[in-house]
Amino acid sequence: AQVLAPEVATSYEIGRKSESWGGQLRTNAALYWSEIDDYQATVRDQVRAATFIANAGAVRSRGLEIESLMQLTPELQLSLAWGWIDSTFTSFRSATCPPEVVGRTVCDATGSRVPGAPPWTLSASIAYERPLLSERTRLYVAADVMRSGDYRVDLSRHTEIDAHTLVNARAGLRSLHDRWDVWLWSRNLFDEEYFSFLSSAGVFNAGAVYGLVGDPRTFGVSLRVAY
């Protein structure tokens, strides 16, 4: 049976929380640094077409996160979030070679980015709510935008998912104490075409790449009742 060494992480973080404009603007910022020894990574055996977990040496992750919440008016709220991460294998000498490498099954991935996470993300949301006809019925409209940078799902350059932007929106009516809520919604409002997943898995490193396309633009109506 395979025995894995436990991951050992050493992490440092420093942050700041602030309020201004009489509490209408709240901002959180955090800077972090983490080093992980005996990092447990997914490894593929291309000959047996098997996937398993193995210790992959060491990983260094460092990044910055900033979040802001602004109450522009009693009815209008805006939030922004930005994150940057640099996650790198500082030691990974027994990585499975990607399909574009011919003649070898084991490669040194030291210095490569850790797959699976974009180097930066940006999101924003806006929400407006006000009484309609009476204080017991509320009208609301909201939208959120999410964008991420390019990243690879595994070590192969053929599994790179391009930067893409997704916009979701909703509008509805609800009771003052959320006894009922009905709303129209749309996901991927502008019908962005993107891959949500790519994989270079295949027998004998044959070079096949499999992908999962992200959901297209979708509309719907939802109703929620609490009793």
Side-chain angles (χ1 to χ4, degrees):
Q2 183 183 10
V3 178
L4 297 178
E7 291 183 342
V8 179
T10 303
S11 302
Y12 308 91
E13 183 173 347
I14 185 171
R16 184 177 187 272
K17 296 182 178 182
S18 64
E19 288 189 3
S20 54
W21 298 351
Q24 290 180 285
L25 173 61
R26 287 176 286 174
T27 302
N28 298 332
L31 183 66
Y32 60 90
W33 185 294
S34 178
E35 295 181 357
I36 305 173
D37 293 323
D38 290 320
Y39 179 78
Q40 295 178 2
T42 300
V43 177
R44 292 189 179 94
D45 185 324
Q46 302 287 3
V47 175
R48 294 179 297 170
T51 300
F52 55 93
I53 303 296
N55 292 112
V59 166
R60 181 199 62 214
S61 293
R62 54 190 177 182
L64 173 66
E65 296 177 346
I66 301 175
E67 298 178 349
S68 291
L69 179 64
M70 290 164 276
Q71 194 70 44
L72 301 176
T73 71
E75 298 86 11
L76 184 62
Q77 185 180 84
L78 175 66
S79 66
L80 299 170
W82 176 80
W84 167 79
I85 182 172
D86 173 28
S87 189
T88 304
F89 288 112
T90 54
S91 176
F92 193 5
R93 293 182 172 84
S94 58
T96 302
C97 292
E100 55 266 31
V101 176
V102 179
R104 286 183 293 162
T105 57
V106 176
C107 289
D108 187 353
T110 302
S112 301
R113 288 189 59 88
V114 176
W120 59 267
T121 57
L122 177 65
S123 63
S125 64
I126 187 168
Y128 177 81
E129 182 174 324
R130 58 163 296 168
L132 181 67
L133 301 179
S134 74
E135 286 291 337
R136 300 184 63 83
T137 303
R138 314 286 292 184
L139 167 70
Y140 64 90
V141 180
D144 55 75
V145 181
M146 294 164 287
R147 183 168 177 81
S148 63
D150 302 344
Y151 69 96
R152 294 181 182 181
V153 178
D154 60 36
L155 292 174
S156 172
R157 67 173 182 267
H158 300 300
T159 64
E160 184 162 302
I161 293 180
D162 295 333
H164 55 275
T165 302
L166 299 178
V167 179
N168 303 320
R170 58 194 178 278
L173 294 172
R174 67 177 182 85
S175 66
L176 180 61
H177 300 294
D178 289 330
R179 294 293 301 275
W180 56 267
D181 191 355
V182 57
W183 68 99
L184 301 172
W185 53 265
S186 174
R187 290 192 291 268
N188 193 5
L189 180 62
F190 296 105
D191 205 21
E192 178 90 345
E193 296 181 354
Y194 67 101
F195 283 105
S196 61
F197 180 77
L198 289 171
S199 174
S200 61
V203 181
F204 301 114
N205 215 13
V209 177
Y210 305 90
L212 182 63
V213 178
D215 291 336
R217 177 169 52 212
T218 308
F219 294 97
V221 180
S222 295
L223 171 65
R224 181 176 65 234
V225 178
Y227 56 91

